[in-house]
Amino acid sequence: MNERIAKLWRKQRVRKRLTRALGVLGSLILLIGIPWLVWRGPYALDREYLDREELAKGSAALVSGLRTALVAMLAAIGAGVALVYTARTYRLTRRGQITDRFNKALERLGSEHEYVRIGGVLNLEQIVQDSPEQAAPDAARVLVHFIRNRAPKAQHSRRKRLACMRSGDNTSLPVEPAADIQAALTALTSDVMCLHADPRVVVLDLHGLHLAGAMLPSVDLTDTHLEGVDLSGADLNGATLAMANLKAARLTSASLIHVDLTHAELAQADLRGADLELATWDKTDLRGANLSDASGLPAHLRELAHTDDRTVLPAYLRSQGEGHRRRLRRLRRVSSAAPATGPSLHERGPKGTSRAHEPGKQR
């Protein structure tokens, strides 16, 4: 989870704690503060103007005042109980209104017209903004099913793509998502949705879909199912893909600047021509991945990520790797060709002769 989502979680916790503290404070004022003010308030506020002897003579007034105070206290308690029930009724009424709005949004999502479906997605997003705790999990489930039903299936096989091109059927492979699908993706990956839709309950599963050209900058796709998804040409700048499953995904020419790929599974993924400037590579699985013509890769990529012999790297990384291996082989040859024994340097003369044979050194 990125820093923005963590800040939203902290704000939500602070808001809940503040609401509870205000409720407890109000209850204390109602149950303790008002009786204390009725009973001891005059003595505390007007003690300079009260005469104890005169007060002792007015017993009848004291009794009537006590009765009046008790009646007022009971009225205050009754008003508090009525206020609690009023708040409960308000919550129930509001929940019913949210349910009615949710049902109307579902009806719009099933429309034949694209603009009506977009309106349904926007209605769901507004409902989540108004009542996130109640509507976010259900709205996330609905949006996932909507995207899976409306988006075409990815076709990674070259034979299938050629067959579609020969038959003239290019409707299943759009260059960018339809407007209603893009709106659903934006709503599904919003901060409020990610904050209140529990990932343990709502599984973000978009595997095997054709979402080429999708606009998803700075989204949080942590631990999502994106196996075999086609995101070629997509905008994922600043996105968080930590622990995401992207096996056999197609990300050709995608913009992945400053993306977080910590512990992401990119085995057999197609990343040809992708822009990976400032990407975070920490234990990323790149076994069998195709990174040819990809830009922004670090020189020590093999040390950061998991690669194998099937991993295809760009030419500039392959040349660096070959040069490093060539230098290692040269060092091994030099070390193996060096003599095992012989006179040390401090025992040799100026021309490599031993000091024992220098003139004037013999006894």
Side-chain angles (χ1 to χ4, degrees), residues 123-162:
N123 285 347
L124 279 181
E125 191 173 7
Q126 186 61 47
I127 292 170
V128 172
Q129 294 284 345
D130 296 339
S131 181
E133 296 181 355
Q134 177 185 350
D138 296 332
R141 294 191 189 95
V142 169
L143 290 174
V144 169
H145 287 289
F146 177 79
I147 295 171
R148 294 204 62 84
N149 291 331
R150 300 293 305 178
K153 303 297 180 182
Q155 296 180 1
H156 294 278
S157 175
R158 185 178 179 184
R159 183 180 299 177
K160 291 183 179 179
R161 293 197 298 269
L162 290 176

Side-chain angles (χ1 to χ4, degrees), residues 24 63 85 309 343:
V24 172
V63 172
Y85 276 99
D309 297 335

Side-chain angles (χ1 to χ4, degrees), residues 291-325:
L291 292 161
S292 59
D293 298 329
S295 60
L297 297 177
H300 53 293
L301 178 63
R302 292 184 181 273
E303 300 175 3
L304 298 173
H306 298 294
T307 59
D308 58 5
D309 297 335
R310 299 174 299 165
T311 305
V312 181
L313 297 177
Y316 61 90
L317 287 185
R318 289 200 302 269
S319 60
Q320 291 177 1
E322 291 175 359
H324 181 66
R325 288 192 293 271

Side-chain angles (χ1 to χ4, degrees), residues 51 260 322:
D51 189 355
D260 186 2
E322 291 175 359

